[in-house]
Amino acid sequence: VALVAAGLDLGSLGDLADRSQLPDGAILAILNGDGTILARYPKPAQFIGTNARDLPPFGDAIHNATEPGVLRANTLAGIPHVFGFSPLTFGGGRFYIIVGLNEHNLMEPANHVLSDNLKGFGLAAIVAFVLAATAGEFFLRRPIERMRLTAEGIAAGDLTARVAPGSAPGELGGLARAIDDMADGLQSRERRLASLSRRVLEVQELERRAIARELHDEIGQSLTAIKLMLQRHRQVDECEDPKPIDELIEVSDRTLQQVRGLSLDLRPSMLDHLGLPATLKWYVDRESERSGLEATLEVEPENLRLDPQRETALFRIAQEALTNVSRHSGATHVALALTSNGKV
């Protein structure tokens, strides 16, 4: 009978672990089947020869490992590690190789990449927000604000308000152009209406002048002739009862005065010949006498002359104002003032 024995220096296993160049915080251990530590890195002298069945995570690896696997556990110092283990059968015996890596060191590159990605994403989000805010300011808020102000101006009667060409892109630009086109149409319509109104006023004044001349020249002369004939008949012919003739003369005279007053109200001829200041003074004195109002007139300058259309418009304004005061206000005094700023 012969016996051949072979021995393995455990120190060589420790040297092997030292030469493996594992990262900081890593653990390498080689265990036999009953859990005795044959090699350990680091601190080999402290652990070689000790039983590791009750040490985390070696006990879990020995008890549960029939195939290579990975588990997470804390070391004796409480530091989380990720352990990879693999059982090995050699020469009829079972061994276990266990390698543990510090979880923090293992995840640090991924965390660093994640942190860089998050920073990049945050920076990109900030840049996108700034660009969106700037684009929104120039392409949305400002054009919309201009359109709002333009619409408010048009609603208030300012038909010269415009959004401005090329102030907005896309659909907003189309809306801006539609608003400007609407304003152009309203302004053109306003000009046509103003021109039509001026023409209507001119025609009215022409008709008033013609009717006033007709009343003064034709009907007034006819009434004057009737009055003179009645006066002559009363003086020349002997009438038993002159009272009816006197009454006719009185009616004729009253009718003549009414026709002359109506003629002057329609269109005083002095407005065409003497101008606005003289016509206003005559009209104010006439209305004061007729209605009992105490009326005063101030004109500056006294020799003010304007174009016929303006003089007619101002006279009609004064005429309507005095009529409303005498009929509806119940006032006892009225003052009129006509002042030129030198620009007309």
Side-chain angles (χ1 to χ4, degrees), residues 163-174:
V163 180
S167 59
E171 297 295 333
L172 286 178

Side-chain angles (χ1 to χ4, degrees), residues 153-208:
I154 294 173
D158 181 14
L159 298 183
T160 62
R162 296 293 185 275
V163 180
S167 59
E171 297 295 333
L172 286 178
L175 180 58
R177 289 189 294 273
I179 292 176
D180 287 347
D181 292 342
M182 178 187 68
D184 290 337
L186 291 174
Q187 191 174 29
S188 176
R189 179 184 177 187
E190 186 74 11
R191 285 195 294 265
R192 291 196 299 270
L193 287 175
S195 177
L196 180 60
S197 298
R198 287 194 298 271
R199 181 57 184 162
V200 169
L201 291 177
E202 291 174 1
V203 172
Q204 287 180 346
E205 290 300 325
L206 289 174
E207 290 297 323
R208 286 171 179 265

Side-chain angles (χ1 to χ4, degrees), residues 17-314:
D18 288 335
R19 292 194 301 270
S20 61
Q21 298 182 351
L22 295 175
D24 293 340
I27 297 174
L28 171 64
I30 300 175
L31 288 71
N32 64 8
D34 62 3
T36 301
I37 298 177
L38 303 178
R40 173 50 157 90
Y41 173 85
K43 301 178 182 180
Q46 180 180 350
F47 292 96
I48 288 177
T50 62
N51 193 288
R53 285 184 175 274
D54 297 328
L55 298 179
F58 303 136
D60 294 336
I62 295 172
H63 293 157
N64 302 321
T66 58
E67 296 292 338
V70 177
L71 59 85
R72 181 183 180 278
N74 292 336
T75 63
L76 293 174
I79 300 174
H81 275 59
V82 177
F83 291 93
F85 56 88
S86 177
L88 177 64
T89 301
F90 181 76
R94 179 178 290 273
F95 299 89
Y96 298 95
I97 299 176
I98 302 175
V99 178
L101 298 177
N102 186 298
E103 185 174 337
H104 174 73
N105 295 338
L106 183 64
M107 298 301 295
E108 183 177 7
N111 290 335
H112 183 71
V113 172
L114 177 61
S115 177
D116 290 343
N117 290 339
L118 290 177
K119 290 178 181 178
F121 177 76
L123 180 60
I126 293 174
V127 172
F129 176 77
V130 172
L131 291 177
T134 304
E137 173 71 17
F138 284 96
F139 297 107
L140 289 177
R141 196 195 68 81
R142 289 189 181 182
I144 291 174
E145 180 68 12
R146 281 195 291 268
M147 285 186 280
R148 183 185 68 82
L149 293 176
T150 301
E152 289 180 353
I154 294 173
D158 181 14
L159 298 183
T160 62
R162 296 293 185 275
V163 180
S167 59
E171 297 295 333
L172 286 178
L175 180 58
R177 289 189 294 273
I179 292 176
D180 287 347
D181 292 342
M182 178 187 68
D184 290 337
L186 291 174
Q187 191 174 29
S188 176
R189 179 184 177 187
E190 186 74 11
R191 285 195 294 265
R192 291 196 299 270
L193 287 175
S195 177
L196 180 60
S197 298
R198 287 194 298 271
R199 181 57 184 162
V200 169
L201 291 177
E202 291 174 1
V203 172
Q204 287 180 346
E205 290 300 325
L206 289 174
E207 290 297 323
R208 286 171 179 265
R209 186 183 290 112
I211 294 173
R213 186 182 299 113
E214 187 74 17
L215 288 174
H216 184 272
D217 295 343
E218 300 296 333
I219 300 179
Q221 290 180 6
S222 298
L223 289 173
T224 301
I226 292 173
K227 177 183 175 182
L228 292 176
M229 290 175 62
L230 289 172
Q231 288 176 345
R232 179 182 177 184
H233 177 68
R234 188 180 183 284
Q235 292 174 359
V236 175
D237 299 335
E238 295 182 359
C239 299
E240 297 180 358
D241 187 6
K243 185 176 179 180
I245 297 178
D246 292 338
E247 291 177 353
L248 288 175
I249 293 173
E250 183 179 353
V251 170
S252 299
D253 186 62
R254 186 167 59 250
T255 304
L256 179 61
Q257 295 300 324
Q258 291 175 348
V259 169
R260 287 177 177 174
L262 182 59
S263 174
L264 292 173
D265 288 338
L266 285 172
R267 176 74 183 188
S269 59
M270 64 178 64
L271 183 61
D272 299 319
H273 303 296
L274 301 181
L276 181 61
T279 305
L280 281 179
K281 186 177 184 307
W282 163 81
Y283 188 77
V284 167
D285 293 341
R286 179 169 174 265
E287 286 299 309
S288 177
E289 180 181 353
R290 187 165 62 178
S291 62
L293 283 172
E294 182 182 350
T296 59
L297 173 66
E298 179 182 351
V299 179
E300 180 64 33
E302 295 182 357
N303 59 346
L304 177 65
R305 290 307 301 263
L306 303 172
D307 61 83
Q309 290 182 348
R310 283 193 175 93
E311 288 192 339
T312 299
L314 291 173

